[in-house]
Amino acid sequence: MSTPVLSVVSVAKRFGRTTAVHDVSFEIQPGELVGLVGPNGAGKSTTIKMLSGQLLPDVGRIVVGGIDVAADPNGARAKIGYVPEEPRLYEYLTAREMVAFVAEIRGGGDVDAALDLAGLGADADRLIREYSQGMRRRTALAAALVARPPLLVLDEALNGLDPPSAARVTRALQVACAGGQAVLLSTHVLDTLERIADRVVMLGAGRVIADAPASDLDRLRGLFDPH
Ligand code: ADP
């Protein structure tokens, strides 16, 4: 097997008396599209915040693109294209301007290709403040894609999207994986993953309760919602 793009090794995080993440370990290989799933409160956001350097784990180790997040948070961050659930965008820039801005900060990238992949070609010169929610999410995706980081991390990125936007995002992620990037997509909706993910890492109460091929999703549903 090749070197993983992401290694999460025995990571734990507490908030006061709540242990949000207990002892979480998983890896992602180049070209893989992995779903991070679990009900609300399972620890998905806390895990994503730790691997993107927004929170430090209490124990454990996270390595992104060969860089230890604790030792070099900025270096590790540059290996990740991150799409938060509610992206903060520059309302008075166009998508093209914002994506070009990110490309400049990240050391270059093909702005037109990223906008096209996110399905924004025709609207890229309108102000972001005029965009629908789906277009805003796709602008954040184009910004995450532009410098071709080895790992894309999307937090609940498909939820609430209109079907054409969801299809666009899905297609963009598949193209990224075909080109050797890896994707970690968190969601509390399993259905979206059935068609697109290679593998599913399932969290429950802060622990990994399954790490299995997406073809096992039917079996995993029982773990997700035993009632
Ligand atoms: P998910 O993203 O799967 O919904 P979270 O990672 O947001 O789960 O939350 C996991 C647990 O940690 C929950 O019990 C949540 O209430 C708790 N938690 C998350 N962030 C904080 C925080 N900043 N302070 C206190 N508790 C938190």
Side-chain angles (χ1 to χ4, degrees):
M1 228 177 222
S2 47
T3 311
V5 176
L6 172 70
S7 298
V8 177
V9 186
S10 302
V11 160
K13 180 74 190 176
R14 290 173 64 129
F15 297 104
R17 300 168 87 180
T18 307
T19 304
V21 169
H22 284 265
D23 178 19
V24 164
S25 301
F26 64 95
E27 288 190 341
I28 303 183
Q29 304 293 330
E32 266 195 314
L33 201 161
V34 176
L36 183 66
V37 303
N40 287 330
K44 304 181 298 295
S45 297
T46 304
T47 301
I48 282 184
K49 282 181 184 156
M50 289 190 285
L51 62 92
S52 55
Q54 302 172 62
L55 271 179
L56 274 180
D58 298 331
V59 294
R61 197 167 116 89
I62 300 175
V63 181
V64 186
I67 298 179
D68 187 313
V69 176
D72 181 5
N74 285 341
R77 207 162 42 84
K79 302 282 183 189
I80 297 177
Y82 177 52
V83 182
E85 187 173 5
E86 286 179 14
R88 305 225 175 109
L89 304 173
Y90 290 95
E91 304 289 322
Y92 288 94
L93 293 183
T94 67
R96 188 185 308 281
E97 288 167 341
M98 187 178 146
V99 173
F101 178 44
V102 173
E104 201 172 311
I105 292 166
R106 289 285 179 105
D110 187 335
V111 174
D112 289 336
L115 291 167
D116 279 350
L117 198 51
L120 283 165
D123 298 297
D125 295 309
R126 286 169 53 198
L127 288 184
I128 289 169
R129 70 188 294 267
E130 298 170 5
Y131 282 5
S132 67
Q133 196 211 359
M135 290 160 72
R136 297 175 72 85
R137 201 82 67 75
R138 286 185 283 126
T139 303
L141 177 65
L145 288 167
V146 71
R148 296 192 51 80
L151 179 64
L152 295 166
V153 177
L154 297 93
D155 202 354
E156 300 281 359
L158 295 173
N159 297 344
L161 286 188
D162 55 282
S165 281
R168 261 296 173 183
V169 172
T170 301
R171 172 96 190 104
L173 298 180
Q174 287 168 330
V175 169
C177 287
Q181 289 169 283
V183 174
L184 180 66
L185 173 68
S186 87
T187 181
H188 66 277
V189 186
L190 292 186
D191 291 342
T192 52
L193 291 176
E194 221 138 23
R195 287 164 296 112
I196 61 169
D198 298 304
R199 196 154 57 82
V200 169
V201 174
M202 182 175 282
L203 299 182
R207 299 176 195 276
V208 176
I209 56 172
D211 184 341
S215 52
D216 282 4
L217 263 173
D218 273 344
R219 179 178 66 79
L220 298 180
R221 262 175 226 285
L223 292 174
F224 192 93
D225 182 13
H227 306 295

